[in-house]
Amino acid sequence: MKTIVVSGIQSSGVLHIGNYFGAMRQHIALQDKHESYYFIVNYHAMTTVRDADALHRHTLDAAVTYLALGFDPEKSNLFVQSDVPELAELTWIFMCLTPVSHLYKSVTYKDKIAQGLSPNSGLLGYPVLQAADILIYGGTLVPVGADQKQHIEMTRNIAQRFNTAYCVDDPIFPVPEPYILDSVAIIPGIDGRKMSKSYGNTIGIFDEGATLKKRIRSIVTDSTPLEDPKDPDSDNVFALIKLFADKDQEAEIREAYVRGGYGYGHAKKRLISMITDYFGEARERRQDLIKHPDYVLDVLREGGRRGREQAKRFMDRVRSATGLMTTYGE
Ligand code: TRP
Protein backbone atom coordinates (compact mmCIF):
# COMPACT_ATOMS: atom_id res chain seq x y z
CA MET A 1 0.00 0.00 0.00
CA LYS A 2 1.22 3.46 -0.84
CA THR A 3 2.31 5.56 2.14
CA ILE A 4 0.39 8.77 2.56
CA VAL A 5 1.59 11.04 5.35
CA VAL A 6 -0.97 13.23 7.06
CA SER A 7 -0.64 15.57 10.01
CA GLY A 8 -2.25 18.59 11.57
CA ILE A 9 -0.46 21.71 12.71
CA GLN A 10 -1.69 23.63 15.72
CA SER A 11 -2.72 27.21 15.11
CA SER A 12 -3.83 28.12 18.58
CA GLY A 13 -0.68 30.01 19.52
CA VAL A 14 2.94 30.68 18.83
CA LEU A 15 4.79 27.47 17.97
CA HIS A 16 7.49 26.40 20.40
CA ILE A 17 10.51 24.13 20.41
CA GLY A 18 8.46 21.28 21.88
CA ASN A 19 6.25 21.43 18.76
CA TYR A 20 9.35 21.54 16.60
CA PHE A 21 11.19 18.52 17.99
CA GLY A 22 8.00 16.62 18.80
CA ALA A 23 6.44 16.84 15.35
CA MET A 24 7.38 19.62 12.93
CA ARG A 25 10.90 18.38 12.30
CA GLN A 26 9.50 14.92 11.43
CA HIS A 27 6.92 16.52 9.12
CA ILE A 28 9.62 18.35 7.22
CA ALA A 29 11.84 15.26 7.02
CA LEU A 30 9.04 13.05 5.69
CA GLN A 31 8.14 15.39 2.82
CA ASP A 32 11.19 14.10 0.94
CA LYS A 33 10.01 10.51 1.05
CA HIS A 34 6.25 10.39 0.66
CA GLU A 35 3.15 12.09 -0.64
CA SER A 36 2.08 14.24 2.28
CA TYR A 37 -0.72 16.48 3.48
CA TYR A 38 -0.08 18.96 6.28
CA PHE A 39 -2.77 21.36 7.35
CA ILE A 40 -3.15 24.10 9.90
CA VAL A 41 -5.98 22.97 12.13
CA ASN A 42 -8.10 26.07 12.48
CA TYR A 43 -11.35 24.11 12.99
CA HIS A 44 -9.70 22.40 15.94
CA ALA A 45 -8.47 25.73 17.24
CA MET A 46 -12.08 26.94 17.37
CA THR A 47 -12.71 24.62 20.30
CA THR A 48 -10.77 27.11 22.41
CA VAL A 49 -10.20 30.31 20.40
CA ARG A 50 -13.08 32.80 20.09
CA ASP A 51 -11.13 35.72 18.71
CA ALA A 52 -11.45 35.89 14.89
CA ASP A 53 -8.41 38.11 14.42
CA ALA A 54 -6.27 35.86 16.58
CA LEU A 55 -7.39 32.72 14.71
CA HIS A 56 -6.62 34.34 11.37
CA ARG A 57 -3.25 35.64 12.50
CA HIS A 58 -2.16 32.37 14.06
CA THR A 59 -3.12 30.45 10.92
CA LEU A 60 -0.87 32.58 8.73
CA ASP A 61 1.82 32.57 11.36
CA ALA A 62 1.88 28.77 11.41
CA ALA A 63 2.23 28.72 7.61
CA VAL A 64 5.13 31.19 7.73
CA THR A 65 6.80 29.12 10.45
CA TYR A 66 6.59 25.91 8.40
CA LEU A 67 7.92 27.56 5.28
CA ALA A 68 10.73 29.22 7.22
CA LEU A 69 11.76 25.93 8.78
CA GLY A 70 12.15 24.22 5.44
CA PHE A 71 8.77 23.03 4.30
CA ASP A 72 8.93 22.67 0.52
CA PRO A 73 5.68 23.27 -1.40
CA GLU A 74 7.15 21.50 -4.44
CA LYS A 75 7.32 18.26 -2.48
CA SER A 76 4.34 18.34 -0.21
CA ASN A 77 1.00 19.99 0.44
CA LEU A 78 0.54 22.64 3.09
CA PHE A 79 -2.89 24.14 3.57
CA VAL A 80 -5.55 25.47 5.89
CA GLN A 81 -7.82 22.77 7.33
CA SER A 82 -11.01 24.73 6.66
CA ASP A 83 -10.18 24.98 2.95
CA VAL A 84 -11.50 21.41 2.82
CA PRO A 85 -15.02 21.90 4.20
CA GLU A 86 -15.90 18.28 3.32
CA LEU A 87 -14.14 17.52 6.58
CA ALA A 88 -17.08 18.80 8.56
CA GLU A 89 -19.31 16.39 6.69
CA LEU A 90 -17.06 13.41 7.33
CA THR A 91 -16.78 14.40 10.99
CA TRP A 92 -20.56 14.23 11.26
CA ILE A 93 -20.66 10.81 9.66
CA PHE A 94 -17.97 9.59 12.07
CA MET A 95 -19.78 11.15 15.05
CA CYS A 96 -22.68 8.89 14.29
CA LEU A 97 -20.37 5.89 14.62
CA THR A 98 -18.58 6.97 17.80
CA PRO A 99 -19.90 6.12 21.28
CA VAL A 100 -19.78 9.16 23.58
CA SER A 101 -18.21 6.93 26.22
CA HIS A 102 -15.07 6.74 24.04
CA LEU A 103 -14.88 10.50 23.84
CA TYR A 104 -15.18 10.94 27.59
CA LYS A 105 -12.14 8.69 27.97
CA SER A 106 -9.98 11.06 25.94
CA VAL A 107 -7.00 12.18 28.00
CA THR A 108 -6.70 15.44 26.12
CA TYR A 109 -10.36 16.23 26.80
CA LYS A 110 -9.93 15.54 30.52
CA ASP A 111 -6.78 17.68 30.57
CA LYS A 112 -8.50 20.59 28.91
CA ILE A 113 -11.46 20.44 31.26
CA ALA A 114 -9.07 20.25 34.21
CA GLN A 115 -7.46 23.43 32.91
CA GLY A 116 -10.83 25.13 33.14
CA LEU A 117 -11.81 25.20 29.45
CA SER A 118 -15.51 25.11 28.71
CA PRO A 119 -16.68 21.60 27.88
CA ASN A 120 -18.32 22.45 24.54
CA SER A 121 -19.24 19.58 22.21
CA GLY A 122 -16.45 20.60 19.85
CA LEU A 123 -13.92 19.90 22.56
CA LEU A 124 -15.48 16.52 23.20
CA GLY A 125 -15.65 15.70 19.48
CA TYR A 126 -12.10 16.93 18.84
CA PRO A 127 -10.67 13.42 18.21
CA VAL A 128 -13.47 12.67 15.73
CA LEU A 129 -12.55 15.72 13.68
CA GLN A 130 -8.96 14.56 13.89
CA ALA A 131 -9.95 11.12 12.59
CA ALA A 132 -11.73 12.78 9.67
CA ASP A 133 -8.60 14.88 9.07
CA ILE A 134 -6.48 11.81 8.68
CA LEU A 135 -8.85 9.49 6.88
CA ILE A 136 -10.23 11.97 4.34
CA TYR A 137 -6.83 11.98 2.57
CA GLY A 138 -6.38 8.23 2.95
CA GLY A 139 -3.58 8.82 5.46
CA THR A 140 -1.52 5.76 6.38
CA LEU A 141 1.25 7.34 8.47
CA VAL A 142 0.71 10.08 11.03
CA PRO A 143 3.76 11.85 12.48
CA VAL A 144 2.74 13.34 15.83
CA GLY A 145 3.99 14.09 19.32
CA ALA A 146 3.66 11.40 21.99
CA ASP A 147 0.60 13.10 23.51
CA GLN A 148 -1.39 12.24 20.38
CA LYS A 149 -1.11 8.48 20.68
CA GLN A 150 -4.65 8.02 21.96
CA HIS A 151 -6.09 10.18 19.18
CA ILE A 152 -4.47 7.98 16.56
CA GLU A 153 -5.80 4.92 18.37
CA MET A 154 -9.30 6.44 18.16
CA THR A 155 -8.76 7.19 14.47
CA ARG A 156 -7.84 3.57 13.82
CA ASN A 157 -10.93 2.50 15.67
CA ILE A 158 -13.17 4.83 13.68
CA ALA A 159 -11.68 3.66 10.35
CA GLN A 160 -12.42 0.06 11.31
CA ARG A 161 -15.92 0.89 12.49
CA PHE A 162 -16.71 2.68 9.27
CA ASN A 163 -15.29 -0.07 7.09
CA THR A 164 -17.18 -2.72 9.05
CA ALA A 165 -20.44 -0.84 8.96
CA TYR A 166 -20.44 0.19 5.31
CA CYS A 167 -17.85 -1.47 3.12
CA VAL A 168 -16.44 -4.70 4.59
CA ASP A 169 -15.74 -6.21 1.20
CA ASP A 170 -14.02 -3.17 -0.20
CA PRO A 171 -12.77 -1.06 2.73
CA ILE A 172 -12.61 2.64 1.94
CA PHE A 173 -10.27 3.75 4.71
CA PRO A 174 -6.78 2.42 5.40
CA VAL A 175 -6.08 1.98 9.12
CA PRO A 176 -3.25 4.47 9.79
CA GLU A 177 -0.14 4.02 11.92
CA PRO A 178 1.25 6.66 14.28
CA TYR A 179 4.83 7.79 13.78
CA ILE A 180 6.14 8.87 17.17
CA LEU A 181 9.82 9.28 17.96
CA ASP A 182 10.61 7.91 21.43
CA SER A 183 13.76 10.00 21.61
CA VAL A 184 11.75 13.19 21.81
CA ALA A 185 8.84 11.89 23.86
CA ILE A 186 9.18 14.48 26.58
CA ILE A 187 10.63 17.91 26.07
CA PRO A 188 10.72 19.86 29.32
CA GLY A 189 9.52 23.43 29.51
CA ILE A 190 11.19 26.07 31.67
CA ASP A 191 9.45 24.77 34.81
CA GLY A 192 10.49 21.16 34.13
CA ARG A 193 6.98 19.99 33.22
CA LYS A 194 6.31 18.92 29.63
CA MET A 195 6.62 21.96 27.37
CA SER A 196 3.10 23.05 26.56
CA LYS A 197 1.38 26.28 25.70
CA SER A 198 -1.21 25.62 28.38
CA TYR A 199 1.45 25.53 31.10
CA GLY A 200 2.95 28.82 29.94
CA ASN A 201 6.40 27.20 30.10
CA THR A 202 7.38 27.31 26.44
CA ILE A 203 10.37 28.63 24.54
CA GLY A 204 9.25 29.97 21.15
CA ILE A 205 11.02 28.75 18.01
CA PHE A 206 11.77 32.31 17.04
CA ASP A 207 12.41 33.76 20.49
CA GLU A 208 15.64 35.73 20.37
CA GLY A 209 17.67 38.40 22.15
CA ALA A 210 16.38 39.59 25.49
CA THR A 211 13.18 37.48 25.30
CA LEU A 212 15.13 34.28 24.75
CA LYS A 213 17.62 35.13 27.50
CA LYS A 214 14.85 35.77 29.97
CA ARG A 215 13.14 32.46 29.15
CA ILE A 216 16.32 30.42 29.41
CA ARG A 217 17.43 32.13 32.61
CA SER A 218 14.18 31.12 34.25
CA ILE A 219 14.63 27.41 33.55
CA VAL A 220 14.33 25.62 36.88
CA THR A 221 17.50 23.88 38.11
CA ASP A 222 18.53 22.41 41.46
CA SER A 223 20.78 24.34 43.83
CA THR A 224 24.06 22.43 43.42
CA PRO A 225 26.86 25.00 43.89
CA LEU A 226 28.90 25.97 40.85
CA GLU A 227 32.04 24.07 41.90
CA ASP A 228 30.25 20.76 42.56
CA PRO A 229 29.67 17.94 40.06
CA LYS A 230 26.17 17.89 38.57
CA ASP A 231 23.96 15.18 37.16
CA PRO A 232 23.23 16.06 33.53
CA ASP A 233 20.49 13.46 33.25
CA SER A 234 18.24 15.03 35.85
CA ASP A 235 18.74 18.60 34.64
CA ASN A 236 16.26 20.50 32.48
CA VAL A 237 18.89 22.68 30.84
CA PHE A 238 20.86 19.65 29.72
CA ALA A 239 17.70 17.96 28.42
CA LEU A 240 17.23 20.95 26.11
CA ILE A 241 20.90 21.18 25.18
CA LYS A 242 20.73 17.58 23.97
CA LEU A 243 18.16 18.57 21.35
CA PHE A 244 20.46 21.13 19.77
CA ALA A 245 23.93 19.70 20.33
CA ASP A 246 25.78 17.35 18.00
CA LYS A 247 27.35 14.25 19.54
CA ASP A 248 30.71 15.91 20.33
CA GLN A 249 29.16 18.97 21.92
CA GLU A 250 26.85 16.80 23.99
CA ALA A 251 29.76 14.71 25.26
CA GLU A 252 31.80 17.80 26.06
CA ILE A 253 29.02 19.46 28.05
CA ARG A 254 28.16 16.23 29.83
CA GLU A 255 31.76 15.97 30.94
CA ALA A 256 31.76 19.55 32.22
CA TYR A 257 28.65 18.82 34.31
CA VAL A 258 30.18 15.72 35.85
CA ARG A 259 33.56 17.31 36.44
CA GLY A 260 32.18 20.27 38.41
CA GLY A 261 33.20 23.90 38.15
CA TYR A 262 30.59 24.32 35.45
CA GLY A 263 27.49 26.17 36.64
CA TYR A 264 23.93 26.15 35.39
CA GLY A 265 24.55 29.72 34.30
CA HIS A 266 27.26 28.48 31.92
CA ALA A 267 24.98 25.80 30.57
CA LYS A 268 22.19 28.32 30.04
CA LYS A 269 24.49 30.67 28.13
CA ARG A 270 25.52 27.79 25.91
CA LEU A 271 21.89 26.85 25.32
CA ILE A 272 21.01 30.42 24.31
CA SER A 273 23.72 30.48 21.68
CA MET A 274 22.76 27.01 20.42
CA ILE A 275 19.12 27.98 19.95
CA THR A 276 20.07 31.24 18.29
CA ASP A 277 22.35 29.45 15.80
CA TYR A 278 20.08 26.50 15.20
CA PHE A 279 17.14 28.62 14.04
CA GLY A 280 19.29 31.39 12.55
CA GLU A 281 18.62 30.68 8.89
CA ALA A 282 14.97 29.96 9.53
CA ARG A 283 14.70 33.29 11.32
CA GLU A 284 16.02 35.09 8.24
CA ARG A 285 13.69 33.21 5.91
CA ARG A 286 10.86 34.13 8.21
CA GLN A 287 11.63 37.83 7.95
CA ASP A 288 11.56 37.47 4.20
CA LEU A 289 8.28 35.54 4.15
CA ILE A 290 6.59 38.11 6.36
CA LYS A 291 7.31 40.63 3.63
CA HIS A 292 5.72 38.37 0.98
CA PRO A 293 2.29 37.37 2.28
CA ASP A 294 1.03 36.77 -1.28
CA TYR A 295 3.55 34.00 -1.73
CA VAL A 296 2.43 32.37 1.52
CA LEU A 297 -1.21 32.55 0.44
CA ASP A 298 -0.35 31.06 -2.96
CA VAL A 299 1.29 28.09 -1.28
CA LEU A 300 -1.74 27.55 0.94
CA ARG A 301 -4.16 27.94 -1.94
CA GLU A 302 -2.39 25.41 -4.12
CA GLY A 303 -1.97 22.96 -1.23
CA GLY A 304 -5.64 23.33 -0.39
CA ARG A 305 -6.66 22.68 -3.99
CA ARG A 306 -4.73 19.41 -4.02
CA GLY A 307 -5.94 18.45 -0.56
CA ARG A 308 -9.52 19.04 -1.56
CA GLU A 309 -9.15 16.97 -4.72
CA GLN A 310 -7.88 14.04 -2.70
CA ALA A 311 -10.63 14.51 -0.08
CA LYS A 312 -13.34 14.58 -2.72
CA ARG A 313 -12.22 11.21 -4.06
CA PHE A 314 -12.83 9.69 -0.65
CA MET A 315 -16.05 11.61 -0.02
CA ASP A 316 -17.63 10.38 -3.27
CA ARG A 317 -17.10 6.84 -2.11
CA VAL A 318 -18.28 7.64 1.43
CA ARG A 319 -21.48 9.26 0.21
CA SER A 320 -22.27 6.36 -1.99
CA ALA A 321 -21.39 3.72 0.64
CA THR A 322 -23.51 5.39 3.33
CA GLY A 323 -26.53 5.99 1.12
CA LEU A 324 -26.39 9.77 1.35
CA MET A 325 -28.15 11.05 -1.73
CA THR A 326 -26.91 13.87 -3.88
CA THR A 327 -29.76 15.22 -5.97
CA TYR A 328 -28.21 18.42 -7.25
CA GLY A 329 -25.45 16.96 -9.51
CA GLU A 330 -22.11 18.63 -9.95
N1 TRP B 1 -4.44 17.21 17.76
C1 TRP B 1 -3.19 17.45 17.10
C2 TRP B 1 -2.27 18.14 18.11
O1 TRP B 1 -2.72 18.64 19.11
C3 TRP B 1 -3.34 18.30 15.87
C4 TRP B 1 -4.07 17.58 14.79
C5 TRP B 1 -5.29 17.87 14.29
C6 TRP B 1 -3.59 16.46 14.05
N2 TRP B 1 -5.61 17.04 13.26
C7 TRP B 1 -4.59 16.16 13.10
C8 TRP B 1 -2.43 15.70 14.12
C9 TRP B 1 -4.45 15.11 12.20
C10 TRP B 1 -2.28 14.63 13.22
C11 TRP B 1 -3.30 14.35 12.27
O2 TRP B 1 -1.08 18.20 17.87
Side-chain angles (χ1 to χ4, degrees):
M1 192 172 51
K2 181 172 161 195
T3 299
I4 296 187
V5 179
V6 171
S7 196
I9 297 157
Q10 298 267 12
S11 61
S12 55
V14 176
L15 291 157
H16 55 75
I17 62 177
N19 299 128
Y20 179 73
F21 288 102
M24 299 169 77
R25 193 171 58 157
Q26 285 71 271
H27 295 170
I28 290 165
L30 285 168
Q31 70 180 352
D32 292 328
K33 300 192 193 112
H34 305 290
E35 176 175 338
S36 44
Y37 298 87
Y38 298 124
F39 34 82
I40 302 158
V41 294
N42 58 347
Y43 281 146
H44 278 107
M46 289 183 88
T47 57
T48 55
V49 180
R50 289 290 129 77
D51 175 339
D53 286 340
L55 188 66
H56 191 105
R57 212 167 353 98
H58 287 151
T59 304
L60 291 178
D61 199 49
V64 165
T65 303
Y66 263 71
L67 289 165
L69 289 167
F71 177 87
D72 183 351
E74 300 290 321
K75 293 181 181 156
S76 179
N77 306 302
L78 177 70
F79 53 99
V80 181
Q81 183 184 35
S82 61
D83 270 353
V84 183
E86 287 79 2
L87 259 181
E89 183 183 5
L90 187 59
T91 301
W92 175 253
I93 294 169
F94 287 167
M95 285 273 197
C96 298
L97 289 167
T98 308
V100 276
S101 60
H102 289 196
L103 299 177
Y104 280 122
K105 283 187 201 129
S106 160
V107 175
T108 53
Y109 177 75
K110 288 191 232 172
D111 272 0
K112 287 173 189 166
I113 300 307
Q115 283 162 29
L117 292 173
S118 91
N120 61 67
S121 344
L123 210 53
L124 187 63
Y126 184 114
V128 185
L129 174 58
Q130 183 161 346
D133 260 346
I134 295 168
L135 300 175
I136 206 167
Y137 309 108
T140 62
L141 191 66
V142 192
V144 280
D147 60 329
Q148 295 296 307
K149 207 171 174 158
Q150 192 188 24
H151 287 174
I152 310 304
E153 209 32 68
M154 289 164 102
T155 301
R156 292 167 57 84
N157 195 289
I158 289 173
Q160 279 155 344
R161 259 168 208 279
F162 183 93
N163 290 340
T164 308
Y166 291 114
C167 47
V168 204
D169 299 332
D170 182 19
I172 293 177
F173 294 116
V175 179
E177 298 288 338
Y179 177 85
I180 297 172
L181 295 188
D182 290 340
S183 56
V184 291
I186 294 194
I187 293 162
I190 59 175
D191 60 356
R193 291 187 290 173
K194 174 185 145 55
M195 189 178 292
S196 162
K197 187 175 70 91
S198 51
Y199 294 150
N201 64 359
T202 60
I203 301 163
I205 292 173
F206 295 120
D207 282 355
E208 59 181 327
T211 315
L212 180 62
K213 275 197 191 122
K214 200 163 158 229
R215 296 303 278 170
I216 303 298
R217 287 210 182 114
S218 49
I219 297 175
V220 175
T221 55
D222 64 25
S223 51
T224 317
L226 192 145
E227 319 74 61
D228 289 6
K230 299 176 183 60
D231 175 18
D233 295 312
S234 62
D235 176 44
N236 297 320
V237 184
F238 190 74
L240 293 168
I241 284 178
K242 276 203 294 193
L243 298 168
F244 294 95
D246 61 32
K247 283 277 159 277
D248 290 346
Q249 290 169 324
E250 183 182 330
E252 171 213 324
I253 300 170
R254 174 180 289 279
E255 222 181 279
Y257 266 73
V258 177
R259 199 186 321 122
Y262 187 78
Y264 292 121
H266 296 129
K268 286 180 176 179
K269 258 204 179 134
R270 192 74 190 268
L271 178 59
I272 292 169
S273 79
M274 281 178 161
I275 296 179
T276 307
D277 289 352
Y278 192 93
F279 293 120
E281 265 178 43
R283 203 173 286 120
E284 277 170 32
R285 276 201 294 268
R286 176 167 178 262
Q287 289 312 329
D288 195 47
L289 287 160
I290 289 172
K291 288 186 212 126
H292 298 97
D294 289 348
Y295 168 75
V296 178
L297 286 174
D298 280 347
V299 168
L300 294 174
R301 194 176 299 114
E302 177 57 18
R305 193 188 59 72
R306 282 185 257 153
R308 197 163 186 206
E309 244 173 43
Q310 172 81 345
K312 277 188 169 158
R313 266 181 233 134
F314 278 86
M315 285 315 290
D316 281 350
R317 293 178 68 195
V318 165
R319 290 186 134 250
S320 134
T322 50
L324 287 170
M325 291 197 335
T326 311
T327 61
Y328 50 78
E330 279 291 330

